[in-house]
Amino acid sequence: MRRVAITGAGTVNPLAADVAGTFAAMAAGRCAIGPLDIRDADRLSVQIGAQVKHFTPEDHFDKAQLGMLDRFAQFALVAARQAVAQSGLRFDPALALRSGVVMGTAGGGLGTSDDSYRTVYEEGKNRVHPFTVPRLMMNAAASHISMEMGLQGPVFSVATACSSSNHAMGLAFQMVRSGAAPVMLAGGAEAMLCFGGIKAWEGLRVMAKDACRPFSADRQGMVQGEGAAVFVFEDWDHARARGATILAEVAGFAMSSDAGDIVMPSADGAARAMAGALADAGLAPAAVDYINAHGTGTAANDRTECAAVRQVFGAHADRLMMSSTKSMHGHLIGATGAVELLACLMALRDGVVAPTVGFREPDADCALDIVPNAARRAKVKVALSNAFAFGGLNAVIALKRA
């Protein structure tokens, strides 16, 4: 069993167009949630979201490329370029032959689907864009990253709703650890902030209309975001041999299924995933300093997640820090775990724990140290990143400071 290092990270998300900017925004507690600027926003009951407003596709792709790329794939490619550049990797033919990509997404090319439905049903046209299928398919982001980097090993996508990117990164970790691949690019990408995407979520009645306030007694629900984050997962010895800077060690991963309700979370299922990640990493609960919570801001999720933390950590639950960065960048659905892993990297490398902003009123059911409203300086050696999805699918990653 090999050790696994993270040697590169890249992102495009509502807070910033790169990792450094994202760290700065998280440290400052900046919230990117605001009024939506999309077609027919006036017809929506929920008119806020966390949009990527600092991204110009033409700065990154030519006209021919843009014809093939939905917004979620654009985000993914830019993030992957950043991650590989930071890693310093050069994929020679031998390395490229065995290296691959795993990306998580819940909606795939939802913007392309939305535009195509408008073309056919609203405008009455009988033809859609000739590349509609390759633009909207779930594996588009992973495939385009593979093609651009020349990676010929395992390449696929994972779709497990809000756990998609944690599942993707966990599977990439397992492949590198087992020796199946020396390097894997992994993360998630999502771009669901279109009329149809938001209208669908409105039906669930879990959306807040003003702000995302995880763990606050007055929380009203989640707020959608968009974006991507991609990481280079690399065999530790391979990374050390080439003198790479190691950002963190991926120490453990576990997944579980509630096998219960399609939308209501389970404390037992979440607890089994957290405990499993610790066991996989060979870590005691008392070793954990920080948890990046799933923390959606819904009444059920936050209460259940806190109960699961107490179940796993016992008395240590009162000593660890747990925050939800969804309060700043929104819920990126299939990409959310990937962007949230950046908060874990910031805590491990820089000793800065991102806050849960918007907190106003304590909730007895969420009586943990949720790092309210302001970032905190702290020594963090071990961090967990939680993701708990509709369908009862849970995925937790354990990270150690390099």
Side-chain angles (χ1 to χ4, degrees), residues 90-102 142-156 175 180-185:
R90 296 292 181 269
F91 288 106
D92 61 46
L95 182 61
L97 191 65
R98 297 183 57 215
S99 300
V101 186
V102 191
S143 293
H144 281 291
I145 293 170
S146 167
M147 291 185 290
E148 180 161 313
M149 305 297 173
L151 306 182
Q152 298 171 275
V155 177
F156 60 98
M175 281 187 278
V183 176
M184 292 293 294
L185 305 189

Side-chain angles (χ1 to χ4, degrees), residues 4-7 166 169-170 173 231-233 236 246-254 274 277-278 280-281 283 287-292 337-349 380-386 396-402:
V4 180
I6 296 177
T7 56
N166 266 25
M169 294 185 292
F173 159 65
F231 303 87
V232 176
F233 284 26
W236 183 280
I246 295 176
L247 306 180
E249 179 176 1
V250 189
F253 170 66
M274 285 187 280
L278 292 174
D280 191 47
L283 294 167
V288 176
D289 303 299
Y290 170 62
I291 299 173
N292 185 280
V339 171
E340 289 161 18
L341 201 75
L342 293 170
C344 292
L345 291 186
M346 184 173 76
L348 292 165
R349 284 187 58 79
V380 177
K381 293 183 179 179
V382 175
L384 293 187
S385 182
N386 287 349
V396 176
I397 298 173
L399 299 155
K400 292 167 63 175
R401 188 168 67 190

Side-chain angles (χ1 to χ4, degrees), residues 40 74 81 103 141 150 197 226 261 327 335 366:
D40 289 336
Q74 295 171 23
R81 291 169 181 173
M103 291 293 290
E226 62 178 357
D261 192 274
S327 57
C366 303

